[in-house]
């Protein structure tokens, strides 16, 4: 089992950048497909992007494609979400998630069984 802790959220202005981090503890971090989701008040949890075990493949929601970049450093047990050109509609709590070992990527929250506590990102106009 892996435990996840997100950090790096904050209040920024439209057009600014933020980098979120997700620190993982536990064994075999490199065996997990990792993903970022977000949830705005009153909205369902939304897929942002995912990264493969070794970081060679990434997938993104259309709403963030070209602005957000996911990467991972397995040596440091950390996943990153670089967010550029932020928009007010990016305001949400951002969650890091891990899929069960050996799973493929998915955009569905139910495909991930380990979640962090979330970090708030607020983008003002």
């Amino acid at each position: 089992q892996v435990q996840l802790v997100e950090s790096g959220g904050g209040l920024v202005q439209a057009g600014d950048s933020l980098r979120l981090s997700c620190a993982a503890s536990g064994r075999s971090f490199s065996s997990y497909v990792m993903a970022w989701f977000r949830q705005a008040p009153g909205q369902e949890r939304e897929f942002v992007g995912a990264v493969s075990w070794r970081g060679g493949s990434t997938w993104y929601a259309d709403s963030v494609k070209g602005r957000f970049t996911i990467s991972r450093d397995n040596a440091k047990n950390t996943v990153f979400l670089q967010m550029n050109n932020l928009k007010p509609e990016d305001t949400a709590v951002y969650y890091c998630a891990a899929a069960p070992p050996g799973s493929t990527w998915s955009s569905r929250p139910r495909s991930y069984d380990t979640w962090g506590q979330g970090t708030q990102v607020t983008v003002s106009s």
Side-chain angles (χ1 to χ4, degrees), residues 79-91:
V79 178
F80 304 98
L81 180 66
Q82 177 67 43
M83 305 185 293
N84 297 330
N85 190 23
L86 282 161
K87 304 176 181 180
E89 52 263 42
D90 294 319
T91 295

Side-chain angles (χ1 to χ4, degrees), residues 10-63:
L11 172 62
V12 297
Q13 294 185 334
D16 285 351
S17 298
L18 271 179
R19 190 192 198 201
L20 305 184
S21 298
C22 173
S25 59
R27 300 190 301 175
S28 302
F29 169 77
S30 60
S31 299
Y32 298 86
V33 167
M34 301 296 296
W36 287 94
F37 287 79
R38 65 187 182 186
Q39 189 166 19
Q43 303 294 318
E44 293 187 351
R45 193 162 294 191
E46 174 190 25
F47 174 75
V48 174
V51 60
S52 62
W53 301 349
R54 295 187 178 90
S57 296
T58 53
W59 304 271
Y60 298 96
D62 288 342
S63 58

Side-chain angles (χ1 to χ4, degrees), residues 4-7 36-37 93-96 115-120:
L4 307 173
V5 178
E6 302 96 334
S7 61
W36 287 94
F37 287 79
V93 176
Y94 283 71
Y95 297 92
C96 176
W115 295 81
Q117 84 289 349
T119 185
Q120 177 70 47

